[in-house]
Amino acid sequence: MTHRIFGKLILACVALLAVAALGVDQLVTRVSSQDLRDSLERGLREKAQLAQTTLEARPIEHYPEIVQRIARSASARVTVIRTDGAVLADSEADPGTMANHATRPEFAQALKGRMGTSSRYSDTVHTEFLYVAIPIEGGALRLALPLAEVDARIGEIRTKILQMTLLALIPAIFLAAWMARRVSHQFSNVIAFSKELATGNFQANAPGFAGGELGALGRTLSGAAGHLRSMFDQLQEERSRFAAAIYGIGEVILVGV
């Protein structure tokens, strides 16, 4: 009995700790992911503004060379388009093979004179990117960073969280095991005592009960056992008196006869 109760209690404790750890993991992952995206976006905005100054001071025919230089210094993919959406230069693809970019969300905003941002999967280089585009003279400039970097950082953070969680779970499991064993032992004592009372053994010795709800239950059962024992003794005494009275009446009848 004790082992079954202990097993159920420790399983419940471990499940509760696991759910709590999973909740922390999901929360931290979501917050960290958003923070990293925001940080990358701020960095791209600053780099795009610097690239804007560099490009606008050069003729269009030099854009391909300048774009490659900017891409290396910014560690980002760089794309320049005209106002009609035609690609003038790209650091990772041939502009002649690229589709019109006027409808891309970030470019659509930039062509209206505002800084635009978005994130999506790129069919050109087959990976997910974070995009920041700003207007330049005669078109728009866009910088992009692969979000694989964010995923890698999130993976590192989740690994550290898992390690910390496991380190925290070890003492927590030992503590839960100790508490579960203690509670299961008390619970088993209460059940065993209850069974003795149920079979009519009112003379059974009540185990020592600690505090808490189980202790209160045990003391209640102990009090009930004492009351039943008193009633049983009283009934026994009444029975003896009744038997003695019947015996006395019988003797009187016999003497009279």
Side-chain angles (χ1 to χ4, degrees):
M1 177 66 72
T2 301
H3 296 299
R4 290 202 304 271
I5 296 173
F6 172 76
K8 291 179 180 179
L9 287 174
I10 192 63
L11 183 62
C13 291
V14 171
L16 182 61
L17 290 172
V19 170
L22 180 61
V24 170
D25 174 71
Q26 293 297 317
L27 176 61
V28 172
T29 298
R30 184 165 57 250
V31 172
S32 299
S33 177
Q34 189 58 50
D35 285 345
L36 286 173
R37 284 174 177 261
D38 292 343
S39 178
L40 285 176
E41 185 175 324
R42 286 193 298 270
L44 280 181
R45 287 172 181 266
E46 295 172 358
K47 292 174 182 178
Q49 290 169 346
L50 292 174
Q52 178 189 40
T53 303
T54 302
L55 276 175
E56 289 184 338
R58 301 297 180 89
I60 294 178
E61 56 268 21
H62 292 169
Y63 278 8
E65 178 186 350
I66 298 171
V67 160
Q68 292 295 334
R69 198 160 59 241
I70 293 173
R72 286 193 295 269
S73 62
S75 299
R77 182 184 179 188
V78 181
T79 306
V80 180
I81 67 170
R82 295 197 309 244
T83 53
D84 61 359
V87 179
L88 296 175
D90 188 272
S91 61
E92 296 185 10
D94 180 7
T97 63
M98 297 175 66
N100 189 288
H101 279 40
T103 58
R104 305 295 168 88
E106 67 284 354
F107 271 131
Q109 294 294 318
L111 292 175
K112 294 178 181 178
R114 300 189 297 269
M115 180 177 289
T117 61
S118 69
S119 61
R120 64 180 179 279
Y121 185 82
S122 171
D123 293 327
T124 306
V125 293
H126 307 293
T127 189
E128 189 177 6
F129 275 88
L130 172 65
Y131 298 101
V132 171
I134 59 174
I136 62 173
E137 185 178 353
L141 162 73
R142 183 184 71 184
L143 268 67
L145 276 178
L147 289 179
E149 178 181 343
V150 174
D151 295 336
R153 292 286 300 278
I154 293 299
E156 293 175 4
I157 292 173
R158 296 188 73 175
T159 299
K160 290 180 180 179
I161 291 174
L162 178 61
Q163 293 172 347
M164 294 173 63
T165 301
L166 289 176
L167 289 176
L169 277 178
I170 292 173
I173 289 175
F174 278 110
L175 178 61
W178 175 78
M179 293 181 64
R181 182 171 292 279
R182 182 180 179 186
V183 171
S184 63
H185 180 69
Q186 293 180 7
F187 200 63
S188 294
N189 287 339
V190 170
I191 292 175
F193 185 53
S194 301
K195 286 183 177 179
E196 291 294 328
L197 296 181
T199 57
N201 183 14
F202 304 123
Q203 306 299 324
N205 294 324
F209 297 110
E213 287 75 8
L214 283 177
L217 174 60
R219 286 187 291 273
T220 300
L221 289 175
S222 181
H227 183 65
L228 289 173
R229 189 181 302 117
S230 176
M231 291 180 61
F232 182 76
D233 292 342
Q234 185 177 357
L235 286 173
Q236 288 290 95
E237 184 178 350
E238 292 294 335
R239 181 180 178 183
S240 298
R241 290 176 182 176
F242 181 75
I246 294 297
Y247 181 76
I249 293 172
E251 287 187 338
V252 170
I253 294 175
L254 288 173
V255 170
V257 173

